[in-house]
Amino acid sequence: MDSLIVLWQILKPWVYFFGFIYFCIKMTTWAKNRKVGAIAFGLFFQMILPDPSAETTIKAVSERKQEMKKQQEGDKKPKE
């Protein structure tokens, strides 16, 4: 019994490592097929982890929206 405990202690990091690799491969295939589980996991994961460049991203998105509004307003020609 002690030998099984020692064997588990030796193999435990490798089991976790290969389990993590399997999980990543599975999520990649789910994401390529647009499965709901992968999308939900990605949204949940992003909700937990902080975005280090959130302010710059928000500024860039708002600037793009303003540019698109200006382009749409500039494309409209007055009716004669």
Side-chain angles (χ1 to χ4, degrees):
M1 187 68 175
D2 291 334
S3 61
L4 289 177
I5 293 173
V6 171
L7 182 64
W8 172 246
Q9 292 296 326
I10 293 171
L11 293 178
K12 187 169 41 172
W14 291 104
V15 170
Y16 291 152
F17 176 72
F18 286 118
F20 179 72
I21 297 294
Y22 175 76
F23 178 75
C24 290
I25 291 171
K26 192 61 135 172
M27 281 293 151
T28 303
T29 56
W30 280 8
K32 285 182 181 178
N33 294 333
R34 295 195 180 259
K35 297 264 183 165
V36 177
I39 295 170
F41 178 77
L43 290 173
F44 179 73
F45 198 69
Q46 185 152 6
M47 194 170 55
I48 291 174
L49 293 178
D51 186 11
S53 60
E55 292 180 21
T56 56
T57 305
I58 292 170
K59 287 179 185 177
V61 169
S62 64
E63 288 175 1
R64 287 183 194 150
K65 284 184 180 180
Q66 289 176 355
E67 289 176 3
M68 293 200 48
K69 284 182 183 179
K70 288 179 183 177
Q71 287 178 354
Q72 289 175 354
E73 291 173 358
D75 290 342
K76 295 179 184 176
K77 294 182 181 177
K79 292 184 180 180
E80 296 177 1

